[in-house]
Amino acid sequence: MLDIHRIPVLQDNYVWLAHDEATGMTAVVDPAVAAPVEAELARRGWRLTHILNTHHHGDHTGGNLALKAAHGCTIVGPAADQARIPGIDVTVADGDRYRFGDSEAQVFDVPGHTRGHIAFWFAADGALFCGDTLFAMGCGRLFEGTPGQMWHSLGKLKGLPGDTRVFCAHEYTQSNARFALSVDGGNPVLVARAAEVDRMRARGEATVPSTIALERATNPFLRADEPALAAAVGLKPGDPVAVFAEVRRRKDSF
């Protein structure tokens, strides 16, 4: 399986290193900045061969060109947004499979946060790199997409196996939990998870990765098709896009 390690950068970003020991290949996912990545590579004695970008935002691509200049690595990113991915070499789109060492990623187009966002799912490794589409108990703001697009995108991820680890790109879990409780406070699994997240953060621990099963049970943005959540935001069940839009509207001003 891929050997995956978290690199905290900037204020609350996570950059991920994924190493394939059999081939010696190493990928960095969404490198916001280069220096912490270089330090971790040196500490582990790994050679950077790939950059995997989920979307164009600078806190996900800011280290691309410096890392490529230093290592000659291959940059893989969304075909739908290739013009905004610095140094891109390989474009991938929905349904594509990308081979990395002895592992293979299935690519999903997941627009909503940005128009060209993608996610990489390494099925055999139980790992999902989803950028800013899906967070622990949250989802990305809709900067370039619609509620319908984002609900459809999240549906692709929601349907993955429950034990899939969710390697999202930010430590937003505690604030996301506070909001989730405001719209889904009658959910006992959510209440218990929020309390555990508070304990983890008090100890200075990271709350990511999550799992798809945990997100299905506690993330209000994945629960817009639940009648209880629709009722909690004053809407009738049966229109999950409308419920999702209302939950997202509330989160934007929370």
Side-chain angles (χ1 to χ4, degrees):
M1 292 184 68
L2 291 174
D3 188 2
I4 301 171
H5 292 273
R6 178 192 312 106
I7 306 175
V9 302
L10 304 179
Q11 183 176 351
D12 50 28
N13 278 68
Y14 288 140
V15 172
W16 301 100
L17 276 185
H19 179 70
D20 180 64
E21 188 169 351
T23 63
M25 290 183 176
T26 303
V28 60
V29 183
D30 286 345
V33 288
V37 176
E38 295 282 22
E40 190 67 12
L41 289 167
R43 191 174 77 82
R44 296 184 177 276
W46 291 348
R47 177 178 61 92
L48 187 66
T49 58
H50 292 76
I51 294 173
L52 305 182
N53 286 140
T54 62
H55 65 294
H56 76 90
H57 284 159
D59 63 335
H60 295 254
T61 63
N64 276 23
L65 296 182
L67 290 168
K68 185 174 183 177
H71 300 278
C73 50
T74 298
I75 300 179
V76 184
D81 212 2
Q82 60 182 297
R84 296 194 288 181
I85 304 295
I88 193 167
D89 299 297
V90 177
T91 62
V92 290
D94 198 64
D96 286 347
R97 295 182 179 273
Y98 186 77
R99 193 79 189 173
F100 170 71
D102 283 347
S103 294
E104 185 179 70
Q106 181 175 341
V107 177
F108 298 103
D109 282 341
V110 285
H113 180 64
T114 66
R115 66 173 183 257
H117 206 302
I118 59 173
F120 297 91
W121 176 43
F122 289 87
D125 300 278
L128 173 70
F129 297 101
C130 51
D132 287 356
T133 294
L134 175 64
F135 295 131
M137 288 186 279
C139 75
R141 284 180 178 266
L142 306 186
F143 289 124
E144 299 177 3
T146 66
Q149 283 179 314
M150 188 61 128
W151 174 248
H152 180 67
S153 294
L154 290 171
K156 296 180 182 180
L157 308 184
K158 180 180 178 178
L160 296 179
D163 60 355
T164 301
R165 294 168 293 165
V166 178
F167 292 97
C168 62
H170 289 276
E171 181 58 70
Y172 290 164
T173 313
Q174 191 169 38
S175 61
N176 285 344
R178 286 194 292 267
F179 170 73
L181 288 169
S182 76
V183 294
D184 199 17
N187 179 344
V189 183
L190 169 60
V191 171
R193 185 183 183 191
E196 176 59 19
V197 165
D198 285 342
R199 290 190 289 269
M200 292 175 72
R201 295 306 291 157
R203 296 191 296 262
E205 297 174 4
T207 64
V208 178
S210 175
T211 67
I212 288 293
L214 196 52
E215 294 312 309
R216 284 198 295 248
T218 61
N219 189 327
F221 296 102
L222 297 188
R223 289 168 50 78
D225 53 355
E226 294 286 339
L229 188 61
V233 297
L235 296 175
K236 294 181 179 180
D239 188 351
V241 173
V243 176
F244 174 87
E246 175 60 17
V247 174
R248 185 66 255 179
R249 185 191 67 79
R250 294 186 182 204
K251 179 64 168 68
D252 288 345
S253 59
F254 184 73

